[in-house]
Amino acid sequence: MAGNTSRVTKRSLNACTRCRRQKIKCSGLQPCDSCNKRKLTCIFDDREQKILVTKGYLDELQQKLARLQRNDNDEPVPLSPEYGEAISPGLKDHNDAPDITQSSPNDKEDVQSNQDIQQELEDPASGLTNPLSTGPPAFMSAENGRTFYLGTSSNWSFTRRVLSLTHEFIYQEALPTGALAFDGATYDLGWDGLRTPQRPDIPTVPTFDHAMYLINTVKFRCGQLYHLFDEAEFMGGLHDFYSRSKPNATSSLWYIHFLLMLAFGKGFVQHKLQGNKPPGAEFFVKALQLLPDISVLHQEPIESTEIMCCIALYLQALDCRSSAHNYIGSAMRMAMAEGMHTQMPVEYLGEDLVQRCRKIWWTVYILDREMTSLMGLPQSVSDDHINTLLPAFPGSAQRTAGINMNIKISRIIAEISSAVYAIDGRLNRNFLLRTKSALASIARLADGLHEGFPLHLDRSMDGVSRTSAYLHLLYHRCIVLATRPLLFCFLKIRFESPEHCLEALNTSRNVRNLIQMCIDSSQQMINILHSLQSEDLLETFLPFDLESVFVSTVVLLMAPAIDARWSYPAWLEKAYLIFEEIIDNGNLIAKFRRSELQLLDELLSCFPQDNSRCLSAPISFPTSILNNPHTSVQLASSFPPSAHALGNDLLTDPGPTNDDEYNLTSGLTAAQIMAVADSIESIDTEWMSNAMIQHSIW
């Protein structure tokens, strides 16, 4: 009969952290059965265990606490004269050091345990890393033999890494670079770089009316967010120049500035190219040939800084990213040498000069932040050293607000570059926590951006504001920049272990939500650009609209390779329509970018999937379709919702459920972004660590 007695399972005296959180039975083993089955890190928190100690030991601890409290009450904590740090009482003198010989063994074990945990979190050698910013620096050689550094946060570098990873997986060989466009290789300025030209050609300047048209075009395209010239001084020089019976070329800084404005104006209005020569090249080259050496430019630093901003922005438009970064860096240093980053005294310098310097400084600051990020390089100037005020625009408070919002987004770009893309940035714990911090910073801007700069994408009231569109595009690019390293990681996991990729991804809803957020922002950027295209406001010369559609399309091509449910062929068609528009307006860079995306699409289509995408080449729609308002509405309503597709996940918008209504929104709210950020907990970092170890991503 004894053998027939039912056995009673003894409950474990302790449960691991995960089982306790989910309120499930824990085996008590190390690792426990549940964590071992799911291949998760099993952690037991010893602080929850019940232990027996003597009353004398508790009395001794209470006496130590009372002595420490008396010391704190009797003596104020002094400050170190050198660093201003608090010095603990009793440590001011070696003879007053507290007696640690009486500390219990348990105290020592606690201290050692805390030190081990701290070392585990801080020691880069003990952790995993962001594959985009760790290990040996990445380089790629062009067909001419020149080698280029692949910056960590660069959009250009990111696409090269994805292309290389995919090509090497499919063909087991390195990606050929002959068909890829590299820095400064798209356009030909027809200049060897010498300051003294072989033929002293003077470009024919347009008539006064034509020049005014080109300059006003530059003001409309750039003037709301960038300060490229002082209107009073520049227009005074313009009238003086054309008041002569026969305007002649001069070597003055004003004339150089004037040539740059003509180059920009031609870039905005001229859409027919002569071979691979960019519009306005003759004016731009002559300006560079006449530009004095930097040692001479310092004699007139105010206008010289404006000129270098113009040169940097024009070079960026030609995809000469490295040269543009060097010029904006020179402008930054010249501006700082003049104290523009400080609160310049109005009573000493005058209101007009101070206001001009503030406009120059924040233009340099914004361009430097963005160009540095596009290069994938560390930011060179800390915000701790900047205390200048915003410029004032009488009668245009919205313009000041726009610059203020642009500055805030530029600071987030710098934060993401220094945190998420930090050297040897760890992917298991610090990486996700840094991503959480970056998303929290982004979320703080969301409501202010939507309220202060509404988009009106439905066009029911007003047209789309070019300034609002630019700020929203930059905002969504921040979200993509912060979250796309996860997309890269899971693409690698998919290549290495396709049968386990979805199982691993579905294990953490929070990590999946981060990737969905990246996809959603990509869709929102395409939606904004499509609205600009419909109103003929798409920027086809400056590079920033092209950068947005390029970044978005890469994400939408990668996503279905990881999970077929993330396939949005209609959004890809919409993106290719935008590419076609930019290409038709004479932008050769867009042509190369689209060909790279087509190559990536073809490579990813070679990888077996459960549900292959239908789109492997761009689909062109006649222009008449976009110009027809009824057809345009039907086309827009055919695109699937973005975050609305998340069902009951954290990104779900409790608002309208109609797809058409949702497509007219401007993206995630601050509450939605914060919900995703706040959801990142230790269990996600544990899961991430396990996934990275399994697939050797570091």
Side-chain angles (χ1 to χ4, degrees):
M1 295 295 295
N4 296 331
T5 304
S6 60
R7 299 178 59 186
V8 177
T9 304
K10 189 175 182 180
R11 182 179 179 182
S12 173
L13 295 178
N14 191 25
C16 71
T17 304
R18 180 178 175 276
C19 291
R20 182 180 294 107
R21 183 187 299 115
Q22 298 188 358
K23 297 181 179 180
I24 61 177
K25 183 178 179 181
C26 183
S27 65
L29 301 176
Q30 179 67 25
C32 73
D33 294 342
S34 179
C35 292
N36 188 44
K37 181 179 179 181
R38 292 168 175 77
K39 297 182 179 179
L40 297 175
T41 303
C42 188
I43 299 176
F44 283 83
D45 192 346
D46 293 335
R47 293 173 300 177
E48 298 293 332
Q49 289 185 337
K50 296 180 179 179
I51 59 174
L52 297 177
V53 296
T54 64
K55 186 177 183 300
Y57 175 71
L58 292 177
D59 292 339
E60 182 182 355
L61 291 179
Q62 290 176 348
Q63 292 173 4
K64 288 183 179 180
L65 178 60
R67 287 196 298 269
L68 290 174
Q69 290 176 340
R70 283 196 300 271
N71 289 336
D72 289 341
N73 293 332
D74 293 342
E75 293 184 66
V77 180
L79 296 178
S80 167
E82 183 177 0
Y83 299 104
E85 297 176 350
I87 302 177
S88 176
L91 290 180
K92 294 177 296 178
D93 187 272
H94 178 72
N95 295 328
D96 294 334
D99 183 11
I100 62 172
T101 58
Q102 301 298 324
S103 59
S104 69
N106 287 339
D107 290 340
K108 296 180 181 180
E109 290 177 2
D110 290 341
V111 171
Q112 183 63 41
S113 176
N114 291 334
Q115 290 175 348
D116 292 342
I117 294 174
Q118 188 69 17
Q119 182 179 7
E120 179 187 354
L121 291 177
E122 294 181 354
D123 184 7
S126 69
L128 302 169
T129 54
N130 182 347
L132 299 175
S133 61
T134 190
F139 293 85
M140 180 176 284
S141 297
E143 196 174 28
N144 61 4
R146 182 183 171 189
T147 301
F148 293 86
Y149 168 62
L150 300 182
T152 55
S153 62
S154 165
N155 301 325
W156 179 85
S157 300
F158 181 78
T159 307
R160 294 301 191 279
R161 289 171 181 259
V162 175
L163 276 170
S164 298
L165 176 69
T166 309
H167 190 277
E168 290 175 6
F169 173 78
I170 294 174
Y171 295 108
Q172 304 300 312
E173 61 181 23
L175 172 71
T177 60
L180 303 179
F182 285 84
D183 187 297
T186 304
Y187 290 103
D188 181 14
L189 289 171
W191 179 45
D192 58 6
L194 298 178
R195 292 292 179 90
T196 305
Q198 296 178 353
R199 295 179 301 169
D201 294 336
I202 303 299
T204 303
V205 297
T207 64
F208 177 78
D209 291 341
H210 191 189
M212 285 295 297
Y213 166 69
L214 295 177
I215 292 170
N216 285 331
T217 302
V218 176
K219 288 170 60 179
F220 174 75
R221 295 287 189 177
C222 303
Q224 292 300 310
L225 293 173
Y226 302 133
H227 171 88
L228 299 182
F229 61 88
D230 180 73
E231 187 163 359
E233 182 177 306
F234 183 84
M235 297 308 292
L238 183 72
H239 288 285
D240 181 63
F241 178 76
Y242 278 99
S243 65
R244 306 169 191 168
S245 58
K246 186 178 181 180
N248 295 319
T250 69
S251 58
S252 67
L253 284 182
W254 179 90
Y255 182 70
I256 296 172
H257 211 163
F258 172 60
L259 292 176
L260 292 172
M261 289 301 102
L262 295 180
F264 271 110
K266 288 288 186 179
F268 290 128
V269 303
Q270 180 179 319
H271 303 311
K272 293 182 179 179
L273 299 179
Q274 299 176 354
N276 59 346
K277 190 175 182 179
E282 65 275 16
F283 300 112
F284 182 74
V285 169
K286 177 53 64 176
L288 290 186
Q289 290 173 344
L290 296 175
L291 188 69
D293 183 75
I294 192 75
S295 59
V296 179
L297 289 176
H298 275 285
Q299 298 175 11
E300 298 184 53
I302 305 299
E303 189 167 13
S304 295
T305 307
E306 294 171 339
I307 287 174
M308 284 190 287
C309 278
C310 295
I311 295 173
L313 190 57
Y314 189 89
L315 288 171
Q316 189 75 27
L318 303 188
D319 201 35
C320 299
R321 297 173 296 109
S322 181
S323 298
H325 185 253
N326 288 333
Y327 270 103
I328 201 62
S330 297
M332 171 71 77
R333 281 149 186 78
M334 186 173 291
M336 293 187 73
E338 293 303 307
M340 295 186 193
H341 61 297
T342 67
Q343 292 192 29
M344 305 175 75
V346 175
E347 61 277 7
Y348 182 74
L349 300 172
E351 180 69 24
D352 292 341
L353 179 60
V354 170
Q355 287 295 332
R356 183 178 180 180
C357 289
R358 289 174 183 173
K359 296 172 186 176
I360 293 173
W361 169 258
W362 289 119
T363 295
V364 173
Y365 177 91
I366 290 168
L367 289 176
D368 178 71
R369 284 291 189 268
E370 183 153 9
M371 290 180 182
T372 300
S373 177
L374 291 176
M375 285 290 292
L377 301 177
Q379 301 290 340
S380 57
V381 178
S382 171
D383 288 329
D384 295 336
H385 303 291
I386 302 171
N387 64 348
T388 186
L389 303 178
L390 290 173
F393 297 95
S396 182
Q398 185 73 0
R399 190 173 176 185
T400 302
I403 294 176
N404 187 30
M405 181 60 67
N406 202 352
I407 293 169
K408 292 178 180 179
I409 299 176
S410 298
R411 286 174 173 165
I412 292 178
I413 291 176
E415 178 184 344
I416 294 172
S417 299
S418 62
V420 178
Y421 293 87
I423 295 178
D424 292 333
R426 299 180 56 186
L427 263 179
N428 57 346
R429 185 176 300 273
N430 285 352
F431 172 76
L432 284 179
L433 294 181
R434 287 168 176 171
T435 302
K436 175 179 180 177
S437 175
L439 290 176
S441 298
I442 294 172
R444 283 192 286 269
L445 296 184
D447 291 340
L449 180 64
H450 296 318
E451 294 173 5
F453 302 91
L455 283 174
H456 303 303
L457 296 184
D458 55 353
R459 296 184 290 279
S460 60
M461 299 173 57
D462 301 311
V464 180
S465 164
R466 182 63 252 195
T467 300
S468 296
Y470 172 80
L471 294 174
H472 280 265
L473 289 170
L474 193 60
Y475 170 83
H476 285 293
R477 274 167 51 193
C478 286
I479 296 177
V480 172
L481 187 65
T483 54
R484 72 182 178 191
L486 289 171
L487 207 62
F488 185 86
C489 291
F490 280 99
L491 183 65
K492 191 173 189 294
I493 294 176
R494 174 72 169 165
F495 288 159
E496 294 179 350
S497 181
E499 65 278 5
H500 297 134
C501 181
L502 291 181
E503 179 184 354
L505 186 59
N506 291 332
T507 304
S508 176
R509 173 183 290 184
N510 296 333
V511 174
R512 187 180 183 89
N513 278 337
L514 287 174
I515 298 178
Q516 180 64 60
M517 181 183 290
C518 182
I519 298 171
D520 179 78
S521 283
S522 299
Q523 293 170 327
Q524 291 299 337
M525 282 191 278
I526 293 174
N527 208 27
I528 296 170
L529 292 169
H530 178 73
S531 297
L532 291 173
Q533 181 185 14
S534 301
E535 296 193 23
D536 200 26
L537 288 175
L538 195 65
E539 183 51 64
T540 59
F541 180 68
L542 293 181
F544 305 118
D545 283 1
L546 175 60
E547 201 73 34
S548 295
V549 69
F550 182 60
V551 168
S552 304
T553 311
V554 172
V555 170
L556 296 180
L557 287 173
M558 294 175 63
I562 298 171
D563 187 344
R565 290 173 291 179
W566 279 328
S567 179
Y568 303 104
W571 284 94
L572 287 171
E573 293 171 13
K574 199 173 186 179
Y576 280 124
L577 283 175
I578 297 168
F579 270 105
E580 289 292 340
E581 175 78 11
I582 300 176
I583 292 171
D584 290 343
N585 280 273
N587 193 311
L588 294 181
I589 304 168
K591 191 173 183 179
F592 278 101
R593 293 286 185 266
R594 187 188 63 178
S595 67
E596 292 171 6
L597 295 173
Q598 289 175 333
L599 174 59
L600 177 60
D601 197 359
E602 293 172 2
L603 290 173
L604 291 174
S605 65
C606 296
F607 187 72
Q609 300 180 46
D610 298 332
N611 297 309
S612 299
R613 298 189 308 279
C614 301
L615 183 68
S616 59
I619 297 178
S620 300
F621 291 92
T623 308
S624 58
I625 293 181
L626 292 178
N627 294 333
N628 187 325
H630 300 289
T631 310
S632 183
V633 172
Q634 295 173 1
L635 184 64
S637 64
S638 67
F639 295 110
S642 45
H644 183 65
L646 281 169
N648 294 322
D649 281 357
L650 288 167
L651 295 184
T652 301
D653 188 351
T657 58
N658 181 274
D659 290 352
D660 294 345
E661 292 183 31
Y662 188 84
N663 282 328
L664 299 176
T665 65
S666 56
L668 301 174
T669 64
Q672 289 173 319
I673 298 175
M674 282 305 302
V676 176
D678 290 340
S679 69
I680 300 175
E681 298 177 350
S682 59
I683 188 172
D684 298 300
T685 62
E686 296 165 12
W687 173 89
M688 193 70 183
S689 174
N690 182 70
M692 296 303 104
I693 292 174
Q694 264 193 315
H695 300 278
S696 303
I697 298 180
W698 40 56

